[in-house]
Amino acid sequence: MEAALKLLEDRIRRDGIVKDEGVLKVDSFLNHQLDIDLLDACGAEFKRLFSDALITKILTIEASGIGIACVVARHFGVPVVFAKKAQSINLEGDMYVTRIQSYTHGRIFDVIVSKKYIGCDDHVLIIDDFLANGCALDGLIDICQHAGAAIEGIGIAIEKGFQPGGASLRERGFRLESLAIVDNMDPATGTIVFR
Ligand code: 5GP
């Protein structure tokens, strides 16, 4: 097993909190406090996994994707663009707009990316902290497709393999690399099973 993967799995086992409704809390290293050494190891691993791809931009979504995306971007030497949650009232023609259902809050919201920052010359690596049903990624994919940008791949820190997003994206032919895949987790015992 690659070192970054082992570090991440060990950390999830040690500090992850299994909540009801399929939610894994990792606030102590990924979603509230950020362990930069761990994120750096994840960045190095994504660089290794996508070493053959020409990447010009990292794309993520606010808020929880930004931390990991910034550290990953250091390994590729490219900028990070994050999709912003927007009030419909602010939407203007120079933005790509897509609609996303939030996994953790259930709400549907618009996200925007300025046309200035993603275009048809870009080769994009999409990065996010979690993959569950795939709604967040569907939105980011939609933005890239509207921009005419090439999606070189998708890098996820923690995929919940018991939810449908990962299988569906792989079926659609996307190059999806998840560092840790949780196949099962039990809120009663706190047990987490990795693929
Ligand atoms: P999806 O759109 O794939 O259903 O959910 C992905 C998004 O929801 C991620 O960007 C992440 O912020 C959030 N998310 C989904 N599942 C979890 C989870 O189990 N724990 C945490 N902390 N965030 C999650």
Side-chain angles (χ1 to χ4, degrees):
M1 185 189 288
E2 290 303 321
L5 239 159
K6 169 100 176 71
L7 279 177
L8 182 59
E9 286 192 0
D10 287 350
R11 194 62 181 275
I12 294 167
R13 271 212 184 84
R14 199 184 81 193
D15 293 345
I17 299 168
V18 182
K19 300 292 226 186
D20 290 330
E21 283 145 20
V23 172
L24 178 63
K25 290 277 272 185
V26 289
D27 279 3
S28 69
F29 61 93
L30 185 59
N31 284 149
H32 190 15
Q33 174 170 261
L34 303 177
D35 181 333
I36 299 302
D37 285 341
L38 179 64
L39 299 191
D40 191 54
C42 293
E45 179 60 5
F46 284 128
K47 177 67 186 168
R48 191 186 70 79
L49 290 165
F50 291 103
S51 58
D52 60 323
L54 168 78
I55 307 290
T56 62
K57 292 272 161 80
I58 304 283
L59 177 65
T60 190
I61 179 166
E62 73 173 355
S64 60
I66 297 175
I68 184 165
C70 289
V71 182
V72 173
R74 288 284 287 169
H75 289 266
F76 288 87
V78 299
V80 174
V81 177
F82 63 92
K84 291 183 170 210
K85 293 170 185 165
Q87 300 296 329
S88 313
I89 218 153
N90 295 337
L91 301 183
E92 287 167 34
D94 53 357
M95 308 275 185
Y96 305 110
V97 186
T98 194
R99 192 151 277 199
I100 289 178
Q101 168 141 30
S102 158
Y103 181 86
T104 38
H105 303 107
R107 275 180 298 120
I108 293 178
F109 51 90
D110 289 317
V111 299
I112 55 158
V113 170
S114 166
K115 290 182 179 172
K116 276 191 256 178
Y117 303 128
I118 298 272
C120 57
D121 295 335
D122 278 313
H123 294 256
V124 176
L125 175 61
I126 298 175
I127 292 287
D128 207 1
D129 57 339
F130 270 91
L131 169 56
N133 293 326
C135 299
L137 291 180
D138 282 345
L140 296 178
I141 289 166
D142 187 53
I143 284 171
C144 290
Q145 288 173 339
H146 275 100
I151 300 170
E152 297 296 334
I154 302 170
I156 298 292
I158 307 174
E159 174 181 339
K160 292 183 292 179
F162 54 89
Q163 290 165 339
S168 147
L169 287 159
R170 289 186 183 94
E171 235 162 67
R172 286 160 65 195
F174 288 102
R175 182 170 173 191
L176 167 63
E177 300 282 1
S178 299
L179 299 185
I181 303 183
V182 174
D183 263 339
N184 204 347
M185 54 186 209
D186 183 352
T189 60
T191 311
I192 297 170
V193 178
F194 293 99
R195 187 167 299 177

